[in-house]
Amino acid sequence: MLHLKVVPTQNPAIIKFEFPDFISQNQNFEFKNIDEAASSPLAKKLFYLPFVKTVYISGNFIAVERYTIVEWADVQDAVAEEIENFINQGGAVLDAEALSAKKSAVTVYGETTPNPATLKFVVNKLVTKTALEFKNIDETKASPLAKELFTFPYVKELFIDENYISVSKYESYNWNEISLELRSFIKQYIENGGPVVDETQLNLEPKVEKQKIEHFDQLDVTSQQIINILEEYVKPAVAADGGNILFDSYDENEKRVKVILQGACSGCPSSTFTLKNGIENMLKDMLKDEDIKVEAVNA
């Protein structure tokens, strides 16, 4: 008889129901509604509960995100019992036929970036909705893929966003010797359904969190204008090069803008030139202020 373990997560709206064995067939699933859950009989059943917002299936657990009409303390035991009864009575977590029909080939190719230490691996599908940077393996709680990539001795740092993974290597290694191995590993990992990001463990860093709408509205007008310019004109360009830029702060007295560079932009030899001759000049022109200075806090 199946007995589940109920485990809280960093997000109070999400709770995990852990199984004694792996259930996800080496894949990662996110279902937002009952129509999306065609490949999971269990997820479809859970969506009949009026407070179920999202169902995640990964590894050895099912995670459920609730609407605010209930608290988990009031319903988690009943949900665990419902899952246990469903499985004990022969219900399936996943529909093998539906999954087989849904599975498609994954392509991955490498792109050079302005940073010679960083290579961008582009995937033909969305791998994350949230940009994530990892400096070491201890930071990879939210990304099983990142954790696996750090087991390669030449991987120094990682940046994952939308449909690509930027890998920064140690100087003593040559891309010609390692790029094929990395590309093949990423392709097979994603093609076999390996989870890139575990949404239930996603804990946004303060430097990312502060740019969300609720924090944006608390900033001064100039800071808001700077963020809008970075989002509209700068981010698309640096993303094409496998990197990212985040607004950190604006000092009105010194007219100093501080930004955070991520991915291929971090440590790039040309980043100083880009900041001074590209971004700084753009802000001076668009904000009509020749005294503005731009610097990276992590350059």
Short mmCIF file of all heavy atoms in Angstrom, two decimals, residues 266-287:
data_model
loop_
_atom_site.label_atom_id
_atom_site.label_comp_id
_atom_site.label_asym_id
_atom_site.label_seq_id
_atom_site.Cartn_x
_atom_site.Cartn_y
_atom_site.Cartn_z
N SER A 266 29.09 38.51 -17.78
CA SER A 266 29.89 38.56 -16.55
C SER A 266 31.32 38.11 -16.84
O SER A 266 31.55 37.00 -17.29
CB SER A 266 29.26 37.66 -15.48
OG SER A 266 30.02 37.67 -14.31
N GLY A 267 32.26 39.01 -16.60
CA GLY A 267 33.66 38.67 -16.85
C GLY A 267 34.08 38.79 -18.29
O GLY A 267 35.20 38.42 -18.64
N CYS A 268 33.20 39.29 -19.14
CA CYS A 268 33.54 39.42 -20.56
C CYS A 268 34.54 40.56 -20.75
O CYS A 268 34.34 41.66 -20.21
CB CYS A 268 32.28 39.70 -21.38
SG CYS A 268 32.60 39.92 -23.14
N PRO A 269 35.62 40.34 -21.51
CA PRO A 269 36.63 41.40 -21.71
C PRO A 269 36.05 42.67 -22.33
O PRO A 269 36.57 43.76 -22.08
CB PRO A 269 37.63 40.73 -22.66
CG PRO A 269 37.46 39.27 -22.43
CD PRO A 269 36.00 39.08 -22.14
N SER A 270 34.99 42.52 -23.12
CA SER A 270 34.41 43.70 -23.79
C SER A 270 33.29 44.35 -23.00
O SER A 270 32.68 45.31 -23.47
CB SER A 270 33.89 43.31 -25.18
OG SER A 270 32.85 42.35 -25.07
N SER A 271 32.99 43.84 -21.79
CA SER A 271 31.85 44.36 -21.04
C SER A 271 32.04 45.82 -20.64
O SER A 271 31.09 46.61 -20.66
CB SER A 271 31.59 43.50 -19.79
OG SER A 271 32.69 43.53 -18.91
N THR A 272 33.28 46.21 -20.28
CA THR A 272 33.53 47.60 -19.90
C THR A 272 33.28 48.54 -21.06
O THR A 272 32.65 49.59 -20.92
CB THR A 272 34.97 47.78 -19.39
OG1 THR A 272 35.19 46.91 -18.28
CG2 THR A 272 35.23 49.21 -18.97
N PHE A 273 33.73 48.15 -22.24
CA PHE A 273 33.50 48.95 -23.45
C PHE A 273 32.00 49.07 -23.73
O PHE A 273 31.50 50.15 -24.05
CB PHE A 273 34.22 48.32 -24.65
CG PHE A 273 33.98 49.05 -25.94
CD1 PHE A 273 34.78 50.14 -26.29
CD2 PHE A 273 32.97 48.67 -26.80
CE1 PHE A 273 34.55 50.83 -27.48
CE2 PHE A 273 32.74 49.35 -27.99
CZ PHE A 273 33.55 50.44 -28.32
N THR A 274 31.29 47.94 -23.59
CA THR A 274 29.85 47.93 -23.84
C THR A 274 29.12 48.84 -22.87
O THR A 274 28.22 49.60 -23.24
CB THR A 274 29.28 46.50 -23.73
OG1 THR A 274 29.96 45.66 -24.67
CG2 THR A 274 27.80 46.48 -24.02
N LEU A 275 29.50 48.77 -21.59
CA LEU A 275 28.86 49.61 -20.58
C LEU A 275 29.08 51.09 -20.86
O LEU A 275 28.14 51.89 -20.81
CB LEU A 275 29.41 49.27 -19.18
CG LEU A 275 28.94 47.96 -18.54
CD1 LEU A 275 29.74 47.69 -17.27
CD2 LEU A 275 27.46 48.01 -18.23
N LYS A 276 30.33 51.47 -21.15
CA LYS A 276 30.65 52.88 -21.31
C LYS A 276 30.22 53.45 -22.66
O LYS A 276 29.66 54.54 -22.74
CB LYS A 276 32.17 53.08 -21.13
CG LYS A 276 32.66 52.80 -19.71
CD LYS A 276 32.00 53.76 -18.72
CE LYS A 276 32.45 53.47 -17.30
NZ LYS A 276 31.74 54.32 -16.31
N ASN A 277 30.50 52.72 -23.72
CA ASN A 277 30.23 53.26 -25.05
C ASN A 277 28.88 52.87 -25.61
O ASN A 277 28.42 53.45 -26.59
CB ASN A 277 31.33 52.79 -26.02
CG ASN A 277 32.68 53.36 -25.66
OD1 ASN A 277 33.00 54.49 -26.01
ND2 ASN A 277 33.47 52.58 -24.94
N GLY A 278 28.23 51.89 -24.98
CA GLY A 278 26.91 51.48 -25.45
C GLY A 278 25.82 51.92 -24.51
O GLY A 278 25.06 52.86 -24.77
N ILE A 279 25.74 51.28 -23.37
CA ILE A 279 24.64 51.52 -22.43
C ILE A 279 24.70 52.92 -21.84
O ILE A 279 23.68 53.61 -21.75
CB ILE A 279 24.67 50.45 -21.31
CG1 ILE A 279 24.52 49.06 -21.92
CG2 ILE A 279 23.57 50.70 -20.30
CD1 ILE A 279 24.75 47.92 -20.96
N GLU A 280 25.89 53.36 -21.43
CA GLU A 280 26.00 54.69 -20.82
C GLU A 280 25.59 55.78 -21.80
O GLU A 280 24.82 56.69 -21.46
CB GLU A 280 27.43 54.92 -20.34
CG GLU A 280 27.60 56.21 -19.55
CD GLU A 280 28.99 56.33 -18.95
OE1 GLU A 280 29.29 55.58 -17.99
OE2 GLU A 280 29.77 57.17 -19.44
N ASN A 281 26.05 55.69 -23.04
CA ASN A 281 25.69 56.69 -24.04
C ASN A 281 24.19 56.65 -24.36
O ASN A 281 23.56 57.68 -24.58
CB ASN A 281 26.50 56.48 -25.32
CG ASN A 281 27.95 56.90 -25.16
OD1 ASN A 281 28.28 57.66 -24.24
ND2 ASN A 281 28.82 56.41 -26.03
N MET A 282 23.63 55.45 -24.36
CA MET A 282 22.20 55.31 -24.62
C MET A 282 21.39 56.00 -23.51
O MET A 282 20.42 56.73 -23.79
CB MET A 282 21.81 53.83 -24.71
CG MET A 282 20.32 53.60 -24.96
SD MET A 282 19.90 51.85 -24.90
CE MET A 282 20.81 51.25 -26.32
N LEU A 283 21.76 55.77 -22.25
CA LEU A 283 21.05 56.38 -21.14
C LEU A 283 21.21 57.91 -21.15
O LEU A 283 20.25 58.65 -20.88
CB LEU A 283 21.54 55.81 -19.81
CG LEU A 283 21.16 54.35 -19.53
CD1 LEU A 283 21.79 53.87 -18.23
CD2 LEU A 283 19.65 54.16 -19.48
N LYS A 284 22.41 58.38 -21.45
CA LYS A 284 22.63 59.83 -21.54
C LYS A 284 21.71 60.46 -22.57
O LYS A 284 21.11 61.51 -22.34
CB LYS A 284 24.09 60.12 -21.90
CG LYS A 284 25.08 59.88 -20.78
CD LYS A 284 26.50 60.19 -21.26
CE LYS A 284 27.51 60.00 -20.11
NZ LYS A 284 28.90 60.27 -20.56
N ASP A 285 21.60 59.78 -23.71
CA ASP A 285 20.79 60.32 -24.80
C ASP A 285 19.30 60.24 -24.49
O ASP A 285 18.57 61.22 -24.67
CB ASP A 285 21.10 59.54 -26.09
CG ASP A 285 20.30 60.04 -27.26
OD1 ASP A 285 20.44 61.22 -27.62
OD2 ASP A 285 19.51 59.25 -27.82
N MET A 286 18.84 59.11 -23.99
CA MET A 286 17.41 58.91 -23.80
C MET A 286 16.89 59.62 -22.55
O MET A 286 15.70 59.99 -22.47
CB MET A 286 17.09 57.42 -23.73
CG MET A 286 17.46 56.68 -25.00
SD MET A 286 16.96 54.94 -25.02
CE MET A 286 15.22 55.13 -25.39
N LEU A 287 17.76 59.84 -21.55
CA LEU A 287 17.34 60.55 -20.34
C LEU A 287 17.74 62.03 -20.38
O LEU A 287 17.46 62.77 -19.43
CB LEU A 287 17.96 59.89 -19.10
CG LEU A 287 17.53 58.45 -18.83
CD1 LEU A 287 18.29 57.88 -17.64
CD2 LEU A 287 16.03 58.38 -18.57
#
